[in-house]
Amino acid sequence: MAKLAVIAIGGNSLIRDNDHQTVEDQYDAVCETAKHIIGMIDQGYDVIVTHGNGPQVGFILRRSEIANEMAGMHNVPLVSCGADTQGAIGYQIQQAMDNEFRRRGMGKSALTLITQVVVDSNDPAFAKPTKPIGSFYTEEQAKKIQKENPDWVMVSDSGRGYRRVVASPKPQEIVEKDVINKLVREGYCVVAVGGGGIPVVKQADGSLKGVDAVIDKDFASSLLAAQIQADELIISTGVPKVYLNYGKPEEKALDKVTVGELKEYVKQNHFAPGSMLPKIQAVIAFMENGGKKAIITNPESLAEAVAGKTGTHVYQ
Ligand SMILES: Nc1ncnc2c1ncn2[C@@H]1O[C@H](COP(=O)(O)OP(=O)(O)O)[C@@H](O)[C@H]1O
Ligand SMILES: NC(=O)OP(=O)(O)O
């Protein structure tokens, strides 16, 4: 029987560097990633592909703001920018997967599901933005931008530059989880929970309403994986493995690690907040909610990682 994996692709891992940020560059990265995901499917996996949107949602929001400042165009609310990324990135992944399925005569197809994710309107995250979006800026650029936009909150993003941050409430419920579960178990490759899902709150009468925020896609993917009892949560990001003392001379790769050991390493501050820490927290949450195994690796190592040859493997 096929194993069911939720595989979460980082928004940053779809953008190779500052010189490769166009939609076409991103599609090239998506096509590469699709080949690696198919390398997993070949090994007997059914997959739900989830993806980030940090850079992309920030680009769309900034375009809207500039169009508003320069041409008086209406602003696009952040929640709609997030929904736009779900469609645009989902379209690219769906097309790339389908082209590859067809090329290899695999008789499978991919489809993208608009996914809403319920958050708590009283989540303290609304008062304390933490989710980096959009471009990376140098310290000098960040100071200038902050002066021009006093309402922005900017932080240093894991030593990679300065970025604008927005509210990132915790996901509580994946609204479309039953249909996602049904479709993947029928054999579709389902693209869902894009950008962590479109954040919505439940109103008194039970109706849903969008809110301006960006949900962490690793937390949302972890919740989805636990709720549909996926066998594995796989997080695909910019590094082949997780490291202790990352970026220091005594850096050490983690090959196999237990949840208990990971919790100890979190206490020892081995994982940067805003980048690796949320991934580790998402993996711990999945494992504590009944998950059997999680892997963290980069897109090009996916097939080798599920074969046990690389990546960081997390066990109970
Ligand atoms: N301990 C660590 N081990 C490995 N990578 C780390 C660690 N701490 C921070 N990182 C950084 O976190 C990055 C992943 O976070 P990020 O780029 O924000 O994710 P995403 O791929 O979801 O966009 C890695 O590429 C690496 O630069
Ligand atoms: N929404 C989200 O978590 O995006 P990134 O993976 O790009 O940070």
Side-chain angles (χ1 to χ4, degrees):
M1 210 174 94
K3 279 193 222 166
L4 175 54
V6 172
I7 159 156
I9 303 168
N12 284 317
S13 78
L14 295 179
I15 293 188
R16 275 175 289 153
D17 52 54
N18 275 347
D19 298 327
H20 296 90
Q21 297 193 335
T22 67
V23 172
E24 293 78 11
D25 288 331
Q26 185 179 283
Y27 186 62
D28 290 344
V30 167
C31 288
E32 275 305 306
T33 302
K35 286 183 196 152
H36 302 308
I37 294 174
I38 289 186
M40 280 179 58
I41 294 172
D42 277 342
Q43 294 178 54
Y45 280 83
D46 281 330
V47 297
I48 295 169
V49 181
T50 66
H51 61 86
N53 69 345
Q56 299 84 356
V57 74
F59 298 157
I60 296 178
L61 183 67
R62 192 69 196 125
R63 271 194 205 103
S64 152
E65 289 165 345
I66 292 169
N68 176 260
E69 285 155 23
M70 301 193 59
M73 294 283 293
H74 61 274
N75 268 315
V76 182
L78 179 58
V79 62
S80 293
C81 297
D84 289 351
T85 65
Q86 233 186 43
I89 302 173
Y91 150 68
Q92 288 193 332
I93 298 173
Q94 178 172 323
Q95 188 177 79
M97 294 294 299
D98 269 345
N99 283 343
E100 204 58 32
F101 285 141
R102 201 173 305 115
R103 203 175 62 80
R104 298 183 190 210
M106 288 173 77
K108 270 181 91 78
S109 58
L111 57 84
T112 306
L113 252 163
I114 291 296
T115 316
Q116 303 170 91
V117 173
V118 177
V119 299
D120 181 350
S121 57
N122 294 315
D123 191 313
F126 284 107
K128 195 175 178 297
T130 53
K131 181 77 191 159
I133 61 164
S135 305
F136 289 85
Y137 300 104
T138 63
E139 192 173 357
E140 206 177 22
Q141 288 170 325
K143 278 185 186 151
K144 185 169 173 279
I145 290 167
Q146 184 73 83
K147 229 184 226 167
E148 291 163 3
N149 302 278
D151 56 326
W152 284 26
V153 183
M154 295 191 75
V155 298
S156 161
D157 183 0
S158 315
R160 298 177 292 185
Y162 288 77
R163 286 175 97 187
R164 180 180 192 177
V165 286
V166 296
S168 192
K170 289 281 177 298
Q172 298 201 321
E173 188 191 329
I174 314 287
V175 177
E176 290 80 9
K177 68 174 184 303
D178 291 340
V179 68
I180 296 170
N181 193 19
K182 184 171 163 15
L183 290 169
V184 73
R185 291 185 193 274
E186 279 176 14
Y188 289 95
C189 166
V190 185
V191 183
V193 195
I198 302 167
V200 295
V201 291
K202 253 191 192 148
Q203 305 190 100
D205 64 356
S207 61
L208 302 176
K209 184 171 181 280
V211 280
D212 285 334
V214 174
I215 300 173
D216 184 290
K217 64 106 187 22
D218 295 312
F219 289 144
S221 306
S222 164
L223 180 65
L224 173 68
Q227 288 191 334
I228 65 168
Q229 294 170 342
D231 298 295
E232 296 183 17
L233 172 64
I234 300 175
I235 296 185
S236 169
T237 185
V239 281
K241 295 180 184 180
V242 178
Y243 300 87
L244 299 180
N245 296 305
Y246 179 64
K248 297 182 188 159
E250 65 273 31
E251 178 178 280
K252 182 178 172 286
L254 291 173
D255 296 318
K256 282 186 184 175
V257 64
T258 65
V259 179
E261 286 165 343
L262 265 190
K263 285 175 151 179
E264 270 311 303
Y265 297 142
V266 168
K267 280 192 204 150
Q268 294 165 11
N269 296 321
H270 281 287
F271 313 119
S275 59
M276 190 48 75
L277 181 61
K279 296 179 196 311
I280 300 292
Q281 290 168 330
V283 161
I284 293 173
F286 171 62
M287 300 296 282
E288 290 189 337
N289 284 305
K292 292 180 202 77
K293 188 177 171 191
I295 302 174
I296 301 180
T297 192
N298 57 5
E300 53 271 38
S301 305
L302 281 171
E304 288 223 314
V306 296
K309 294 181 188 154
T310 186
T312 294
H313 295 245
V314 185
Y315 297 91
Q316 288 292 356

